[in-house]
Amino acid sequence: MTELIPAPRSVVAGSGEVRLTALSQLYAGTATEGVGHWLRTVLCQATGLPLREGWELDDTEGDGIGLQLDLELGPEEYRLVSDPTGVLIEGGSAAGVFWGAQTLRQLLGPDAYRRAPLGRDRTWAVPHVTIQDAPRFGWRGLMLDVARHFMPKDGVLRYLDLMAAHKLNVFHFHLTDDQGWRVEIQRYPKLTETGSWRSRTKFGHRASPLWEEKPHGGYYTQDDIREIVAYAAERHITVVPEIDVPGHSQAAIAAYPELGNTDVIAASMEGAPSLSVWDTWGISPNVLAPTDNTLRFYEGVFEELLDLFPSEFIHVGGDECLKDQWRQSPTAQARIKELGLADEDELQSWFIGHFDKWLTARGRRLIGWDEILEGGLADGAAVSSWRGYQGGIAAARAGHDVVMCPEQQVYLDHRQAPGADEPVPIGYVRTLEDVYRFEPVPPELTSAEAAHVLGAQSNVWTEVMEDPARVDYQTFPRLTAFAEVAWSALPAPAERDFGDFERRMAAHYRRLDALGVAYRPPAGPLPWQRRPGVLGRPIEGPPPNR
């Protein structure tokens, strides 16, 4: 009972248990019907019990489950009471009830995470307990990069389930980059016809000489996106799409060359430019041209995106825009002069500012990586602070909202241990304990400034993750530690009881096993040491750019 993850705010244990039987019913009150459908589906799959629909709360008396709202609770707050009258989960909203249902699933044991019963008689029981719980942050995010290595739709849906099991509620969907464009835009078909495939893929990072000499790619149709967004919404997860501008755009330029700085590219190629989707890692020098044509093109992209994604925030990237082409381009220099800008940094701010105003006019909000601070922060924009804490501190002090995701703490593509045993030992060493001691709110901020910290996010960049097993290995169990940081009311980092977290993780690994997660084991031989080749070839390399 005390092995719950993330740790609840209050747990008061009782002395008995509620046993679920073939006669047990599940009642879902007004506005909780969707949670009831989800809970009945997963528990019926795992237990084989029918969990018939109850028509009133009294139907659950003694051995059933009731779900209902209590509007005196906070929006994501819940209260779970298991006692001789049955199990009752109340929440301040359907989301709160859903997070309580996730806790109930943990209380039922690891086999509650299976998709079919194990075929042997067993008792399904919920210990008597009263749990009061609420999240620390409203933004508890996971970013998944599907541009570097494409993840098919079913894999994305699986990660939404894994997020929900850990009470994470924002899925940052990194859909475009130099190495691939992954979302169908119907008015610009070449973005996926050309931009979603590259001719080959590099293993490891920039220092690695190994290549996979076969095409890699894929994309999501608009119907796929609608399905992903609806599936996420059923799990009270918001999907925030990212279309990267003005850098990290070579895949788009390969599809529509006029989007690039053609005057510079043509000169460097001694003729008409012929770019392809980038087949290596790092940062491409090819960035979008700051022209009216480019603005109109991406307005068209975002128009279709807004129809697909109802999220308040739209992520526009804005990071790692190499400005050499702008310095060399007569077109870009003429635009700087026309707008009365000081330099190329202000030109990028103008570019981001255009889409900030465009999105604001449509009732949405722009968010970008912390480079959008350079040259002046666009009005109303929020910041994803990835290059440490300083960008987030500066933005919060200027009154802008911030999501803290510093690479030094929560970039899950970085290695998990020192030495050559890690499959691709890149980046900083960030252990499970390092992630557990991550603190999203910098102590330098005043309470008023800290109120601008919307929450935290862990980022999964996939340059070195060529298949779902590698994504699992890099992401888990560290995502579990991150989830507790984002949800639970933990003390200061140095005072956190990592030993207690490890104790609870011993039970949680069994849940991850039932879910089929190929996590990095806490001890003993690593997966490829037991079965060579399971996670591909170990490759050395320098840290990623992001």
Side-chain angles (χ1 to χ4, degrees):
M1 184 189 309
T2 59
E3 296 166 342
L4 299 173
I5 291 179
R9 296 199 173 196
S10 171
V11 179
V12 179
S15 58
E17 63 183 18
V18 173
R19 291 198 175 191
L20 302 182
T21 71
L23 300 178
S24 296
Q25 297 188 39
L26 191 156
Y27 165 77
T30 302
T32 71
E33 296 89 349
V35 181
H37 173 74
W38 174 86
L39 184 59
R40 181 177 290 106
T41 298
V42 296
L43 293 188
C44 288
Q45 286 178 344
T47 67
L49 300 175
L51 284 180
R52 292 171 297 148
E53 182 176 357
W55 296 104
E56 55 185 18
L57 191 59
D58 288 347
D59 293 341
T60 67
E61 186 71 27
D63 65 352
I65 301 168
L67 311 175
Q68 66 181 20
L69 298 185
D70 180 347
L71 299 183
E72 294 186 1
L73 298 174
E76 291 189 278
E77 185 177 1
Y78 71 88
R79 177 172 53 246
L80 186 156
V81 179
S82 171
D83 62 18
T85 67
V87 179
L88 176 63
I89 301 173
E90 297 175 295
S93 68
V97 176
F98 182 73
W99 304 131
Q102 292 289 353
T103 297
L104 171 64
R105 199 178 182 192
Q106 289 197 25
L107 291 171
L108 283 166
D111 288 340
Y113 290 85
R114 297 191 181 278
R115 296 186 182 180
L118 293 180
R120 61 175 184 263
D121 293 336
R122 61 157 300 167
T123 299
W124 294 94
V126 182
H128 286 173
V129 65
T130 298
I131 298 174
Q132 293 272 165
D133 201 8
R136 180 184 179 192
F137 294 108
W139 186 301
R140 307 180 301 280
L142 171 70
M143 189 229 66
L144 181 63
D145 165 24
V146 296
R148 274 50 176 272
H149 280 102
F150 178 67
M151 180 177 284
K153 179 188 67 179
D154 284 352
V156 174
L157 300 180
R158 174 176 174 264
Y159 259 79
L160 291 170
D161 280 327
L162 292 172
M163 288 178 63
H166 292 85
K167 298 185 173 72
L168 300 176
N169 69 341
V170 178
F171 180 56
H172 176 168
F173 207 7
H174 184 77
L175 289 164
T176 72
D177 218 294
D178 297 315
Q179 295 84 4
W181 185 285
R182 305 294 180 217
V183 57
E184 177 188 24
I185 302 298
Q186 292 177 348
R187 71 188 73 186
Y188 303 130
K190 291 181 182 178
L191 286 173
T192 46
E193 291 172 2
T194 299
S196 69
W197 286 91
R198 57 180 181 263
S199 61
R200 61 178 186 171
T201 289
K202 192 174 187 179
F203 274 94
H205 215 266
R206 287 167 295 170
S208 168
L210 299 178
W211 300 80
E212 187 75 35
E213 295 290 346
K214 63 181 182 182
H216 175 87
Y219 67 92
Y220 309 102
T221 67
Q222 293 201 355
D223 282 343
D224 290 337
I225 293 294
R226 292 186 183 96
E227 181 181 355
I228 289 167
V229 169
Y231 195 86
E234 288 176 350
R235 287 146 184 80
H236 298 275
I237 295 170
T238 298
V239 183
V240 175
E242 180 183 353
I243 301 294
D244 216 334
V245 297
H248 285 287
S249 298
Q250 183 160 322
I253 296 169
Y256 292 92
E258 64 271 21
L259 296 174
N261 296 279
T262 53
D263 45 3
V264 176
I265 297 172
S268 66
M269 294 184 171
E270 298 181 355
S274 179
L275 292 176
S276 58
V277 178
W278 223 28
D279 60 6
T280 189
W281 313 134
I283 311 170
S284 170
N286 294 296
V287 302
L288 296 175
T291 63
D292 290 341
N293 174 65
T294 301
L295 297 180
R296 300 293 87 77
F297 183 97
Y298 274 88
E299 286 172 3
V301 169
F302 284 117
E303 280 180 7
E304 293 195 24
L305 213 69
L306 296 190
D307 287 338
L308 297 172
F309 295 94
S311 56
E312 175 187 7
F313 287 98
I314 302 295
H315 207 293
V316 300
D319 62 314
E320 296 180 329
C321 178
L322 301 182
K323 300 178 176 68
D324 290 345
Q325 288 186 346
W326 287 355
R327 294 185 184 97
Q328 300 166 22
S329 164
T331 301
Q333 291 302 310
R335 174 122 283 185
I336 289 173
K337 183 177 180 180
E338 169 198 338
L339 296 170
L341 303 177
D343 54 23
E344 291 75 20
D345 285 343
E346 287 194 4
L347 183 60
Q348 177 171 343
S349 290
W350 165 80
F351 195 106
I352 297 297
H354 173 86
F355 287 103
D356 177 49
K357 295 181 180 70
W358 190 91
L359 289 168
T360 299
R362 288 155 181 79
R364 305 297 184 95
R365 291 183 65 189
L366 178 145
I367 186 169
W369 302 107
D370 57 49
E371 283 92 334
I372 67 174
L373 290 162
E374 298 168 2
L377 185 61
D379 292 341
V383 170
S384 300
S385 186
W386 76 274
R387 296 180 298 177
Y389 287 91
Q390 291 309 308
I393 291 170
R397 285 176 172 167
H400 294 272
D401 289 337
V402 178
V403 176
M404 298 303 300
C405 50
E407 64 170 331
Q408 298 87 346
Q409 277 75 34
V410 289
Y411 268 40
L412 302 185
D413 48 315
H414 289 195
R415 69 183 83 179
Q416 302 180 67
D421 286 343
E422 291 303 309
V424 182
I426 64 169
Y428 304 97
V429 174
R430 285 297 169 258
T431 65
L432 183 65
E433 182 173 0
D434 290 332
V435 175
Y436 191 68
R437 298 195 187 281
F438 165 54
E439 173 49 49
V441 179
E444 298 94 324
L445 296 180
T446 66
S447 58
E449 292 164 349
H452 285 290
V453 178
L454 300 176
Q457 181 171 292
S458 56
N459 295 337
V460 179
W461 301 103
T462 61
E463 288 97 333
V464 298
M465 303 180 205
E466 67 272 15
D467 56 44
R470 179 63 60 77
V471 176
D472 277 9
Y473 177 88
Q474 293 296 131
T475 304
F476 287 96
R478 292 183 294 182
L479 187 68
T480 305
F482 170 81
E484 182 148 309
V485 169
W487 175 278
S488 303
L490 297 178
E495 300 169 9
R496 293 176 189 171
D497 189 347
F498 182 68
D500 177 68
F501 178 75
E502 283 190 304
R503 179 189 64 77
R504 288 180 286 121
M505 277 301 299
H508 198 69
Y509 286 119
R510 294 174 60 205
R511 299 179 190 124
L512 296 179
D513 287 335
L515 286 164
V517 177
Y519 56 85
R520 185 188 191 279
L526 297 176
W528 59 91
Q529 294 167 333
R530 296 192 298 266
R531 288 191 297 154
V534 168
L535 289 174
R537 39 178 91 86
I539 299 169
E540 296 281 352
N545 301 99
R546 283 190 289 202

